[in-house]
Amino acid sequence: MEGSCGLITLQKKPVALKSISVTLSIHEFVACVSATLNYENEEKVPLEASFVFPMDEDSAVYSFEALVDGKKIVAELQDKMEAQHKYEDAISQGQEAYLLEEDSDSRDVFCCNVGNLQPGSKVELTLRYVQELPLDADGALRYVLPAILNPRYHLSGQLEDSCLDIKTPLVPLDELPYTLSMVATISSQHGIQRVHSNCPLSAVEILADDKTSAQVSLAEGHKFDRDVELLIYYREVHSPRVSVEAGMLEKKPDSLMGDPSVMVSFYPNIPEDEASVTCGEFVFLMDCSGSMQCPMNNQDGSQSRIEAAQETLILLLKSLPIGCYFNIYQFGSSYEEFFPESVKYTQQTMEEAVNRVKLMRADLGGTEILAPLQNIYRKPSIPHHPLQLFVFTDGEVSDTFSVIKEVQSNSNKHRCFSFGIGEGASTSLIKSIARVSGGTSEFITGKDRMQSKVLRSLKHSLQPAVEDISLRWNLPPGVSANLLSPEPTVIFRGQRLILYARLTGKMPAAEATGEVGLKYTLQGKRFEDKLTFSLKPKPDADLTIHRLAAKSFIQTKDLGLTQTSAMDKKDVLKISIESGVISSFTAFIAINKELKKPVQGPRAYRQIPRPVLYKAFRSPRILCGEFYSMHKSHGYLSLNPAAYLRYAQSSGAQWFPLVPFFYFSLKVIGGTKLMQLIDLQKANGSWDLNEDLTKILGVSLEDLLAAHPAQHVDLSGWATALAVVWLHTHGKDQKMEWELLERKAVAWIHTQAGSTVPMLVKAANTLLKSSVDPAVFAP
């Protein structure tokens, strides 16, 4: 698995899966999704077809059904082992059967099996799920329909029964034999401003005069070269609210599906003017496996993942506060640490780390993240410097639950901020390790800049700690709220907090209200956000809030077949089967019991091809000139596909790896003037006045010295003022990336220049022909 990105069959066979159609309904910040897989057997023998596909970690899959010859067969959610046995028994007896299961190793991979599809027959398989939509920093709600599933690196000797162990055939993206269509209906009481996507869309159709509903479709011809993302902008997104959903009438009270469920969304009003902390131990864990040499997106000349990671690490190192400690690990099949233990942040240690970051390569083999994590956690804690762990990876590991459990076991002594790099990164790994440790997660895909998203997380880690977080419910006598989500332990400024609870007891007959309050302490001050809500439950045929509540509970306790305790497994099984939401221990099974006669003849097994973003090979043979050529005009190395395919076919293999036609960038890190300027900054936030700085500013050293306005301020103070003015003039579009290091620079200037700062700013504006507001230099 380490050396390849997928396989392609040389035996041309019709593919049973013909199309995937998705119907999406987004109301406020919840998505309800129906995905239909349309199959047809064009061969002359009965088929068993298997399709492995990605799902988002937060998807609560609650329904699976088959439509065969106009008849609907609704699947049952059962214990996974029982469902698998029933499926095997059914197809061995010539019955038509359908199985949907979550992968054993990761919550974001599913497998759908169609058994005994008769020649000439058609079947529609529909799965349904609900999902909370994350809120981006710019206020957009983000829906992602995963289309890319990259191979997951397997540890040697690992014997887990995983869907990803199957040798799935791959074909070039433009020859993928099935199509994808999607129609999305969006509604919000706050009104819809606009809808963006990384894929071509039809024109947005406004369905109401007040712009509270709209519809949009995915344009025809989606190439499966990226996940489908929708960014939805409402006029108002930061409105706290409480929704109460009625339970099922046919279910008994005192049960999850019989009692009302509550969804609470808070937007804590944390003051913005609180000072950032200056202590902490910052450890950066960087994926340097071979897959990190892939480009960030599919555009020619795109920065490689490892290049973007290097720039990001340099920005992080320049942005760290004076007085903290730090270390950097790089990992692949093995791992290396820059320092034997975390070191104090000084000019010397920062320079040493930056120089080593510039030498990083994506050459450490596979993606084995567990060992370096264990090494980090074994290190003794530094008093008064809480550990803040930043994990960068393309997320292509197979032992996902082992990694999640390791992070969770150490959650009392650190926070983990995780970053999924590139298309197809595991949402199960990236989201879970952040969630169980009280951190945040980000995904960097398409044209996203890794640097801005990572620096935003660094800002979160530098926020003063919010302590003593608690929920307070004020409900009528006889009514109580049982929390199904984990107790909140971390709150970040500007982020949404969603909680689920089950209301038990006798609900009031008359109109009644309840109140829920979120209490917390920040720098000795006590705060409370209160929400008053109607206790009258609203019916929802899809039981959306109940399903989401069940998913929240399952995510807390379900760590896969091998990492979940017996008690937690029992709880997960109970909630999963009761709510109909799939888990690691359950699967959907449907059997066509009305088939008049068993399917006759031998059965052929077919794997449905799936798209993947292919990776480069690290084999010495592949790197020779026979397979690669240099594009001198662009400075890139690219694959000679014809030569490689001749080699693969001559090997006699029935399956062979397929390599993409993408470029490897050979650009030098720090090639932009912005990165060059940042590279010159010292750990204390200052710049020296030298020839390197003059080249960036575009002014000669003689002119800089002649324009120096304050004889009592040394040249470093003058140079730092010039650098900050240049940043605001030429780098304002990337302010998120340099905001923290600029804050250090301004603080340093005030300690050195004091009352002469306005004079420095005026002179810098004049020399650089800028008009930067002096207020940016306010202490």
Side-chain angles (χ1 to χ4, degrees):
M1 183 76 72
E2 176 186 346
S4 68
C5 310
L7 306 170
I8 181 171
T9 178
L10 298 179
Q11 299 173 344
K12 302 296 183 181
K13 296 289 184 182
V15 175
L17 180 62
K18 299 303 178 185
S19 65
I20 302 171
S21 56
V22 177
T23 302
L24 169 64
S25 175
I26 295 175
H27 179 64
E28 304 301 352
F29 52 84
V30 173
C32 299
V33 187
S34 174
T36 299
L37 312 178
N38 297 285
Y39 289 84
E40 180 181 1
N41 183 2
E42 297 177 323
E43 299 190 45
K44 297 180 180 180
V45 295
L47 294 182
E48 180 185 6
S50 182
F51 182 42
V52 178
F53 58 95
M55 291 282 288
D56 191 278
E57 149 81 11
D58 293 330
S59 302
V61 180
Y62 67 89
S63 172
F64 182 55
E65 61 188 37
L67 185 65
V68 186
D69 297 328
K71 187 184 69 174
K72 184 167 69 174
I73 305 170
V74 178
E76 293 182 16
L77 188 65
Q78 301 180 0
D79 178 283
K80 180 184 279 189
M81 292 189 66
E82 292 180 8
Q84 289 172 338
H85 288 318
K86 288 181 179 179
Y87 173 80
E88 294 295 339
D89 288 345
I91 62 173
S92 66
Q93 295 171 18
Q95 293 179 300
E96 294 175 342
Y98 313 95
L99 182 72
L100 179 70
E101 57 185 316
E102 187 178 276
D103 185 60
S104 304
D105 290 329
S106 190
R107 278 191 289 259
D108 60 350
V109 179
F110 277 66
C111 185
C112 177
N113 289 307
V114 178
N116 282 329
L117 187 61
Q118 299 185 67
S121 65
K122 298 179 181 180
V123 62
E124 295 181 5
L125 299 181
T126 300
L127 63 95
R128 296 183 176 87
Y129 66 89
V130 291
Q131 178 187 349
E132 296 170 12
L133 299 186
L135 184 65
D136 282 2
D138 65 352
L141 288 164
R142 182 182 294 262
Y143 170 73
V144 178
L145 177 65
I148 302 299
L149 177 57
N150 291 332
R152 306 286 169 87
Y153 177 84
H154 278 242
L155 293 169
S156 57
Q158 197 174 40
L159 298 176
E160 288 280 352
D161 180 20
S162 168
C163 300
L164 291 166
D165 287 336
I166 301 169
K167 289 185 176 181
T168 304
L170 300 177
V171 296
L173 292 174
D174 58 354
E175 296 179 17
L176 203 66
Y178 48 88
T179 61
L180 173 66
S181 62
M182 184 183 77
V183 178
T185 303
I186 304 162
S187 62
S188 171
Q189 62 179 343
H190 302 294
I192 301 162
Q193 279 190 335
R194 60 189 186 276
V195 180
H196 291 171
S197 178
N198 65 333
C199 298
L201 298 176
S202 64
V204 177
E205 180 183 358
I206 302 299
L207 303 179
D209 292 339
D210 57 0
K211 296 186 177 181
T212 54
S213 63
Q215 190 173 84
V216 67
S217 301
L218 183 66
E220 291 185 6
H222 179 66
K223 298 297 184 184
F224 285 91
D225 58 342
R226 70 197 78 173
D227 297 336
V228 179
E229 294 182 358
L230 288 182
L231 298 178
I232 301 106
Y233 293 85
Y234 296 147
R235 290 174 184 161
E236 174 59 55
V237 293
H238 295 92
S239 298
R241 62 181 298 174
V242 179
S243 300
V244 182
E245 183 180 87
M248 300 172 69
L249 295 176
E250 61 270 28
K251 295 289 184 180
K252 296 179 181 178
D254 286 336
S255 67
L256 173 65
M257 303 306 285
D259 289 331
S261 284
V262 181
M263 181 184 197
V264 183
S265 57
F266 282 110
Y267 295 86
N269 187 25
I270 299 175
E272 296 184 6
D273 57 351
E274 303 292 343
S276 296
V277 298
T278 57
C279 61
E281 179 189 7
F282 298 87
V283 176
F284 306 108
L285 180 57
M286 178 59 66
D287 188 344
C288 289
S289 63
S291 54
M292 286 289 289
Q293 65 189 341
C294 289
M296 287 296 298
N297 58 59
N298 59 4
Q299 295 182 351
D300 289 352
S302 170
Q303 200 176 31
S304 71
R305 296 176 185 177
I306 194 65
E307 286 175 343
Q310 285 171 298
E311 279 194 10
T312 303
L313 271 179
I314 292 172
L315 280 168
L316 284 168
L317 288 169
K318 297 290 183 174
S319 303
L320 290 178
I322 294 292
C324 74
Y325 288 77
F326 78 99
N327 204 352
I328 297 175
Y329 284 68
Q330 52 186 354
F331 74 94
S333 298
S334 59
Y335 68 89
E336 303 168 5
E337 50 191 317
F338 280 22
F339 306 101
E341 57 187 21
S342 292
V343 294
K344 195 163 187 177
Y345 182 68
T346 65
Q347 181 63 24
Q348 180 182 347
T349 56
M350 185 200 72
E351 281 185 358
E352 183 178 346
V354 167
N355 290 333
R356 291 192 63 177
V357 166
K358 293 177 181 178
L359 297 175
M360 273 185 170
R361 297 292 181 267
D363 58 0
L364 292 183
T367 314
E368 298 185 23
I369 193 174
L370 188 58
L373 277 174
Q374 292 169 334
N375 181 273
I376 291 168
Y377 295 141
R378 281 196 299 266
K379 303 283 187 182
S381 299
I382 301 174
H384 311 298
H385 289 272
L387 175 62
Q388 312 270 20
L389 177 62
F390 288 68
V391 176
F392 303 83
T393 178
D394 55 17
E396 299 176 11
V397 301
S398 61
D399 56 336
T400 303
F401 288 121
S402 299
V403 176
I404 296 169
K405 187 170 185 179
E406 184 67 26
V407 175
Q408 186 178 48
S409 300
N410 293 277
S411 60
N412 62 333
K413 64 180 183 182
H414 87 300
R415 290 188 298 190
C416 179
F417 299 86
S418 55
F419 307 91
I421 304 171
E423 305 282 356
S426 170
T427 59
S428 184
L429 175 71
I430 303 302
K431 289 185 176 183
S432 295
I433 61 176
R435 183 179 60 248
V436 300
S437 64
T440 61
S441 60
E442 295 274 9
F443 291 86
I444 300 102
T445 59
K447 296 181 181 179
D448 292 341
R449 279 186 62 81
M450 183 189 305
Q451 296 86 335
S452 58
K453 291 196 171 187
V454 173
L455 267 293
R456 183 163 61 242
S457 293
L458 179 60
K459 283 185 178 180
H460 287 148
S461 73
L462 293 172
Q463 288 180 15
V466 176
E467 301 171 321
D468 304 324
I469 304 170
S470 62
L471 279 180
R472 179 189 59 80
W473 296 86
N474 185 7
L475 301 170
V479 180
S480 60
N482 298 325
L483 201 61
L484 292 169
S485 306
E487 289 278 357
T489 58
V490 176
I491 302 175
F492 294 109
R493 182 186 303 136
Q495 287 202 321
R496 181 184 62 197
L497 177 64
I498 296 179
L499 301 166
Y500 297 95
R502 174 179 143 205
L503 294 181
T504 60
K506 186 173 179 59
M507 300 297 291
E511 181 71 27
T513 60
E515 183 183 80
V516 58
L518 177 69
K519 293 184 175 183
Y520 52 93
T521 300
L522 179 64
Q523 294 187 329
K525 298 178 183 179
R526 193 68 175 160
F527 297 86
E528 182 175 11
D529 294 358
K530 297 180 181 179
L531 291 174
T532 301
F533 59 95
S534 171
L535 280 169
K536 184 177 181 180
K538 293 183 179 179
D540 179 356
D542 293 328
L543 295 161
T544 302
I545 294 177
H546 283 75
R547 314 283 192 197
L548 291 172
K551 179 66 177 182
S552 180
F553 179 88
I554 290 170
Q555 283 180 316
T556 304
K557 292 179 176 287
D558 186 355
L559 289 176
L561 301 180
T562 62
Q563 301 297 325
T564 308
S565 68
M567 182 176 296
D568 284 346
K569 177 182 176 180
K570 183 178 178 181
D571 291 341
V572 170
L573 262 173
K574 179 178 181 298
I575 294 296
S576 177
I577 290 177
E578 183 180 347
S579 66
V581 175
I582 201 167
S583 70
S584 295
F585 306 103
T586 51
F588 283 102
I589 174 70
I591 300 173
N592 186 2
K593 296 179 180 179
E594 297 184 14
L595 193 64
K596 295 181 180 179
K597 63 178 182 178
V599 177
Q600 303 294 320
R603 183 176 68 253
Y605 182 75
R606 298 284 183 261
Q607 277 294 327
I608 304 299
R610 59 181 171 88
V612 70
L613 288 187
Y614 313 119
K615 298 183 202 33
F617 282 71
R618 295 176 292 283
S619 160
R621 172 79 187 268
I622 299 300
L623 291 178
C624 70
E626 179 183 354
F627 299 126
Y628 284 90
S629 60
M630 178 66 72
H631 289 247
K632 294 181 180 180
S633 61
H634 296 90
Y636 297 123
L637 189 69
S638 69
L639 174 73
N640 180 336
Y644 181 69
L645 293 180
R646 284 196 300 271
Y647 160 72
Q649 291 171 331
S650 66
S651 68
Q654 291 297 307
W655 304 82
F656 61 87
L658 185 65
V659 185
F661 305 13
F662 64 70
Y663 297 140
F664 293 98
S665 172
L666 302 178
K667 292 180 290 187
V668 178
I669 294 300
T672 67
K673 279 191 174 183
L674 176 61
M675 281 307 300
Q676 290 170 8
L677 181 67
I678 290 170
D679 196 33
L680 293 176
Q681 189 187 34
K682 300 170 74 171
N684 62 7
S686 68
W687 275 266
D688 286 335
L689 191 62
N690 54 34
E691 291 287 353
D692 290 333
L693 181 62
T694 65
K695 292 175 183 177
I696 297 168
L697 300 179
V699 181
S700 69
L701 184 58
E702 291 77 10
D703 289 344
L704 288 176
L705 291 172
H708 183 205
Q711 299 303 320
H712 298 292
V713 177
D714 67 15
L715 293 178
S716 291
W718 173 227
T720 303
L722 288 165
V724 172
V725 168
W726 190 96
L727 282 172
H728 281 274
T729 304
H730 299 282
K732 55 187 176 183
D733 291 341
Q734 293 167 241
K735 184 178 178 181
M736 172 68 74
E737 300 174 17
W738 49 259
E739 200 169 11
L740 289 176
L741 61 88
E742 180 239 19
R743 188 182 301 174
K744 278 202 305 183
V746 170
W748 183 88
I749 287 177
H750 279 277
T751 64
Q752 301 297 312
S755 61
T756 63
V757 170
M759 186 188 306
L760 286 172
V761 178
K762 183 178 180 180
N765 270 327
T766 300
L767 182 65
L768 299 180
K769 297 180 175 59
S770 301
S771 56
V772 174
D773 187 346
V776 304
F777 284 82

